[in-house]
Amino acid sequence: MHIKKAQYIISSPGHEKCPPPDRPEYAFIGRSNVGKSSLINMLCNNDRLAKTSHTPGKTQLINHFEIESVSKEGNTDIVKWYLVDLPGYGFAKVSLSSRRKWEQMIEGYFRKRGNLAHAFVLIDARHSPQKIDLDFIKKLGLWQVPFTLIFTKADKEKQAVVSKNVKLFMESLRTTQQFLPQSFVTSSVKKTGKNKILDWIQDMNEDWSNSNVF
Ligand code: GTP
Ligand code: MG
């Protein structure tokens, strides 16, 4: 897939305020500071599209980006879809009431957003499996949201450690999941994993247009 255009549309406090659900949508979620916004920028070739920060908790609303893509460079058949940057979980410095607000917003979004095609759950590749990520994945299962795992920040750790962490994560999932999800290893700094993820979205966009008529 080749992205022709990517632009910020709107930040919404809840699913009711999101743009009309007239095209497939892909949501990026994961622990605060895991690299969601950086990954979105890498995929779209634009470092200033989604706001990134060293301080966890930067993204606080549901952020929609409109993407126009073609299957290959030179093709003229433009496909439009949404990419969504979501606020992360596990940010230590939040009050209980902000956490509840986050939980309601996220649950409402995942359960009610009719055009949500797929979620990408980002996991820090430097660490062994964390309960907070496994718990979130369990919730996605409960809400019946199909998802893919993206292991981030691979440039910050030795390849052998990354591979071991991916393997351990998959083993932890095996205890609760009937089928293991697709997974990718990325680095937003080195731009690794970009084409594989874009091609995966392209496949899902094709499935979407075969099964949905707007
Ligand atoms: P919140 O919006 O706060 O939940 O964070 P986020 O998940 O959107 O993370 P963000 O993209 O803002 O990145 C957090 C920090 O990690 C920034 O300092 C990024 O530069 C850094 N970072 C993100 N991805 C990578 C990566 O692949 N490699 C390295 N080395 N640093 C990364
Ligand atoms: Mg962010």
Side-chain angles (χ1 to χ4, degrees):
M1 179 202 277
H2 180 72
I3 291 186
K4 301 283 280 182
K5 193 171 153 192
Q7 66 175 357
Y8 166 76
I9 301 292
I10 196 169
S11 299
S12 323
H15 68 92
E16 323 79 357
K17 296 271 169 66
C18 288
D22 59 357
R23 64 198 73 175
E25 180 161 314
Y26 300 87
F28 289 72
I29 183 94
R31 194 169 197 158
S32 182
N33 213 42
V34 70
K36 300 173 291 295
S37 302
S38 304
L39 183 84
I40 286 171
N41 290 346
M42 171 181 80
L43 293 175
C44 297
N45 254 337
N46 180 349
D47 280 346
R48 285 183 301 180
L49 191 64
K51 291 196 185 94
T52 64
S53 168
H54 293 290
T55 324
K58 177 74 192 167
T59 310
Q60 296 200 334
L61 297 163
I62 302 169
N63 298 296
H64 274 78
F65 299 90
E66 182 185 73
I67 314 292
E68 292 185 12
S69 66
V70 291
S71 57
K72 276 190 203 120
E73 218 169 342
N75 279 12
T76 50
D77 256 353
I78 288 182
V79 179
K80 289 188 181 185
W81 46 283
Y82 282 128
L83 197 157
V84 172
D85 190 10
L86 290 169
Y89 49 79
F91 176 35
K93 288 186 199 151
V94 292
S95 62
L96 194 60
S97 70
S98 315
R99 213 181 99 187
R100 292 248 164 83
K101 228 169 90 188
W102 179 89
E103 280 171 355
Q104 277 179 2
M105 177 171 85
I106 293 297
E107 177 165 355
Y109 171 80
F110 278 114
R111 294 187 104 137
K112 307 248 172 74
R113 187 71 177 153
N115 61 325
L116 179 70
H118 204 82
F120 287 93
V121 182
L122 276 64
I123 311 286
D124 194 321
R126 295 172 296 173
H127 307 309
S128 54
Q130 305 285 302
K131 185 174 181 303
I132 194 164
D133 294 318
L134 294 164
D135 285 350
F136 185 77
I137 288 170
K138 263 190 225 156
K139 280 196 199 150
L140 279 184
L142 197 69
W143 303 333
Q144 301 188 316
V145 176
F147 67 93
T148 287
L149 298 177
I150 297 187
F151 294 90
T152 63
K153 305 193 184 183
D155 60 283
K156 286 194 160 191
E157 195 40 283
K158 290 194 196 88
Q159 210 191 321
V161 176
V162 169
S163 302
K164 184 169 158 242
N165 288 338
V166 171
K167 193 167 159 248
L168 287 173
F169 201 91
M170 290 305 188
E171 279 167 10
S172 315
L173 278 187
R174 221 184 281 274
T175 56
T176 55
Q177 303 279 317
Q178 198 178 357
F179 302 104
L180 287 182
Q182 171 73 271
S183 70
F184 300 103
V185 174
T186 63
S187 159
S188 297
V189 171
K190 293 201 168 164
K191 311 229 182 280
T192 34
K194 180 181 166 184
N195 291 338
K196 281 188 184 165
I197 294 171
L198 289 179
D199 287 346
W200 178 228
I201 293 176
Q202 164 88 18
D203 286 351
M204 291 191 279
N205 273 342
E206 281 166 18
D207 286 350
W208 182 270
S209 66
N210 289 337
S211 56
N212 289 272
V213 179
F214 283 113

